[in-house]
Amino acid sequence: MTQTTLKDEQDAVRKVFVKTYGCQMNVYDSMRMTDALAPAGFVETTDPEDADLILLNTCHIREKAAEKVYSEVGRMRKVRETRAEAGKRTLIGVAGCVAQAEGEEIVRRSPAVDLVFGPQSYHRLPALIAASEAGTGPVVDTEFPAEDKFNHLPKVDASPQRRRSITAFLTVQEGCDKFCTFCVVPYTRGAEMSRPVSAVLDEARRLIDAGVREIMLLGQNVNAYHGLGPDGREWGLAALLEALARIDGLERLRYTTSHPRDMDDALITAHRDLDKLMPYLHLPVQSGSDRILDLMNRRHDRALFFGIIERLRDMRPDLALSSDFIVGFPGETDADFAQTMDLVREIGFAQAYSFKYSPRPGTPAETMDQQVPETVKTERLHALQALLAEQQGAFADSLVGTRLSVLFEKLGRKPGQVVGRSPYLQPVHIEGDTNLIGEIADVTITATGRNSLFGQLTPPDRNLMPRSVSVSAQLAAGAGS
Ligand code: 5AD
Ligand code: SF4
């Protein structure tokens, strides 16, 4: 029955709309889901009203992120009703981390949902859809199967029909064994696993053949990567980056997100040795207080973090840093928070993300004593964000008048404008020709915007050597410490 439904429909083109929430890994997963659906006759649409299948790829990291899903299901149910009036059938599926965490609860709370499946089930998507269409009620699949889903997903589609951008995500590692006490990831994404080196290299080559020039390696704990190498040994992230850097046509490499404990010597040195590895690192620290880091079970203290940053900056003086911070973790006092502010002032960040602590069901911190009142969390968040914004602005301002290499990715909003990324991941807007897209060119920065830079192509002049930018020095000056 299941088989017939799928086969019958194989030739008919059906449309899938995917809405993605949360982190870059979900963006990557959404691409792989649509790749997995292609053999079942699905093509992607950006219009939910045009979609036979609506998928919400969800995030569970903070409460707000999870709540959004239920209101979106409500909106999609209305879309389904409108389509039903026109005689069209629509399936609604919830994927991702909310699906993994809440499972059956989702269909109890939102009976409009036909399909619920976790991140480890994406390769089974065509079969799940067929089962749902066979029609004995909602289909829920949140198992952590023994098989490796990457082995069962179709290879990344590198055909010209499948539009790829100039930059792409590539998941190399999934899951986390760290168990920070605030975090749902070890429960929703499961134990740490790394893809084999050959699978990563193969996928990278396919992406490059499809026009990609920059790859961002992804993992919940990407620098814990320990994939099986072609020599039968486990390779760390540094070795993987080195092998990727040897691929012709790949111009830039990045990786995210990392844990301070896993910044080993080889990886720190790779920041000096690999030209293709961009001088920008997202390294979450969460707090500047040793007491809170301990309660968070972060397995590192302030000193370890400072030590890593110092070594990284020795290797790569223009390294720009990003991080994640949580304010109002249970038990966080004014003195603890002051330590976080102090760490930010001492280190200087080119940009960062900061969040109010959000209790997550089933995590140890949810039931800890001394939960911090909302008003205090809000106050601390404002103070921290003001400081981080000041540093981000100071960093951007320090780049005015310098030359940066920019990889151009797309047309800008204004006519004649093209947009690329600086080595430090900032969007850079210039007046220029479309044929710059996919190219790296030298840009002289002339002005800064809220979250981006503006500049002009630097005329080729062999006498002008690119100036190196000492980010750490400028940040320290900008932070006023
Ligand atoms: N509350 C607030 N922020 C959280 N993060 C993870 N879990 C929580 C939580 N329960 C933040 C961390 C992490 C980022 C992805 O989200 O800072 O690094
Ligand atoms: Fe969550 Fe990151 Fe901690 Fe893992 S290391 S538990 S993903 S915050």
Side-chain angles (χ1 to χ4, degrees), residues 61-62 182-183 284 286 324-326 355-358 360:
I61 199 93
R62 286 170 294 277
F182 52 81
C183 187
Q286 315 296 358
D324 288 343
F325 295 90
I326 295 178
F355 313 98
K356 288 190 231 179
Y357 167 68
S358 162
R360 306 310 293 129

Side-chain angles (χ1 to χ4, degrees), residues 54-310:
I54 293 173
L55 294 177
L56 305 178
N57 191 7
T58 62
C59 172
H60 200 242
I61 199 93
R62 286 170 294 277
E63 193 181 358
K64 266 195 194 149
E67 279 306 313
K68 277 189 202 157
V69 175
Y70 289 101
S71 46
E72 191 63 14
V73 168
R75 274 194 290 277
M76 294 305 157
R77 198 192 49 191
K78 294 212 178 78
V79 170
R80 169 154 71 193
E81 283 163 9
T82 316
R83 281 175 52 86
E85 283 162 20
K88 294 178 191 158
R89 189 173 174 199
T90 318
L91 286 182
I92 299 179
V94 176
C97 294
V98 175
Q100 187 63 46
E102 302 201 351
E104 297 275 352
E105 178 61 24
I106 295 177
V107 287
R108 264 196 295 275
R109 206 172 140 181
S110 295
V113 174
D114 305 290
L115 270 173
V116 175
F117 54 100
Q120 301 308 319
S121 310
Y122 296 160
H123 56 299
R124 289 203 294 266
L125 196 44
L128 295 174
I129 289 165
S132 170
E133 285 176 329
T136 45
V139 174
V140 177
D141 183 349
T142 53
E143 292 296 300
F144 278 107
E147 81 249 25
D148 171 358
K149 75 170 169 201
F150 290 103
N151 284 337
H152 294 77
L153 278 166
K155 286 192 186 306
V156 160
D157 181 358
S159 65
Q161 301 89 289
R162 185 82 161 106
R163 199 170 46 86
R164 298 265 167 198
S165 47
I166 301 301
T167 65
F169 296 133
L170 197 175
T171 295
V172 301
Q173 179 279 339
E174 229 182 314
C176 183
D177 295 342
K178 295 282 191 298
F179 290 93
C180 298
T181 52
F182 52 81
C183 187
V184 286
V185 166
Y187 312 98
T188 55
R189 291 278 175 166
E192 223 173 65
M193 81 80 160
S194 296
R195 295 176 70 188
V197 173
S198 58
V200 175
L201 295 179
D202 177 60
E203 192 166 319
R205 286 193 197 98
R206 290 173 154 271
L207 290 169
I208 292 157
D209 288 346
V212 166
R213 292 288 163 265
E214 172 177 310
I215 292 180
M216 170 88 89
L217 303 182
L218 297 182
Q220 267 93 25
N221 215 182
V222 72
N223 60 341
Y225 178 84
H226 54 99
L228 185 66
D231 54 4
R233 283 197 277 209
E234 281 193 354
W235 288 27
L237 187 64
L240 182 70
L241 285 164
E242 214 177 299
L244 285 161
R246 279 198 292 270
I247 302 179
D248 283 340
L250 176 62
E251 306 292 347
R252 289 179 160 192
L253 277 165
R254 305 177 188 273
Y255 60 92
T256 200
T257 185
S258 297
H259 191 284
R261 264 242 96 92
D262 297 312
M263 284 311 296
D264 61 17
D265 287 341
L267 188 55
I268 291 174
T269 314
H271 281 272
R272 178 193 66 196
D273 296 342
L274 300 179
D275 289 342
K276 291 184 182 179
L277 183 57
M278 289 295 98
Y280 173 90
L281 177 66
H282 181 69
L283 190 61
V285 62
Q286 315 296 358
S287 169
S289 154
D290 281 345
R291 211 177 60 81
I292 296 298
L293 288 170
D294 193 39
L295 287 170
M296 286 176 164
N297 189 33
R298 284 289 293 174
R299 303 157 193 240
H300 67 81
D301 57 12
R302 216 180 136 88
L304 186 123
F305 190 76
F306 275 100
I308 291 165
I309 301 301
E310 197 180 321

Side-chain angles (χ1 to χ4, degrees), residues 367-378:
T367 49
M368 280 182 186
D369 294 338
Q370 296 180 288
Q371 298 283 331
V372 173
E374 195 58 26
T375 48
V376 177
K377 286 185 196 170
T378 306

